[in-house]
Amino acid sequence: MRKKIPKGGYRVLAIVWTLAAAAMAVAFVRRLAEFNLLLLLLLVLSVLTASNYWKLYRKTPGETARDFLRTPPRFSGRPVLFDSDPQTNDSEENTHE
């Protein structure tokens, strides 16, 4: 069972592989005088992987964006704002021993 990757995750992967492909292109161009088949293969694989992640990013349906100015944030039933709850007598401030 695979974990679903959100749309933002595919975007991060696509950006990382695009940067890797750019680095491989620079390495290939710098050693163009002495042809290196391994660098060419790594460049092609990086470009194909980056394009695959960009396609997956475009295909993945996005999350519904909430308008943060119009809708208040959703909290749980009783949000805990502080470490010690004032209704319980467990805190150190309430014990006078």
Side-chain angles (χ1 to χ4, degrees):
M1 184 164 83
R2 292 178 56 184
K3 182 179 176 184
K4 287 187 75 173
I5 300 174
K7 188 170 185 163
Y10 282 122
R11 182 172 181 246
V12 169
L13 286 170
I15 290 171
V16 167
W17 277 102
T18 303
L19 292 173
M24 292 309 302
V26 168
F28 181 74
V29 169
R30 286 184 71 188
R31 296 187 181 235
L32 199 55
E34 51 191 59
F35 183 75
N36 193 345
L37 185 61
L38 181 62
L39 282 178
L40 180 64
L41 288 175
L42 287 174
L43 172 63
V44 169
L45 282 172
S46 297
V47 168
L48 290 175
T49 306
S51 67
N52 186 27
Y53 278 123
W54 281 115
K55 286 178 189 176
L56 287 172
Y57 169 69
R58 289 187 191 108
K59 282 184 186 179
T60 304
E63 296 88 20
T64 57
R66 289 183 21 212
D67 187 9
F68 291 106
L69 297 175
R70 293 186 184 177
T71 59
R74 290 177 275 175
F75 292 110
S76 63
R78 271 186 75 187
V80 177
L81 299 177
F82 303 104
D83 289 339
S84 62
D85 192 8
Q87 297 191 6
T88 62
N89 293 330
D90 297 354
S91 67
E92 295 176 9
E93 296 145 358
N94 293 335
T95 59
H96 300 289
E97 294 179 21

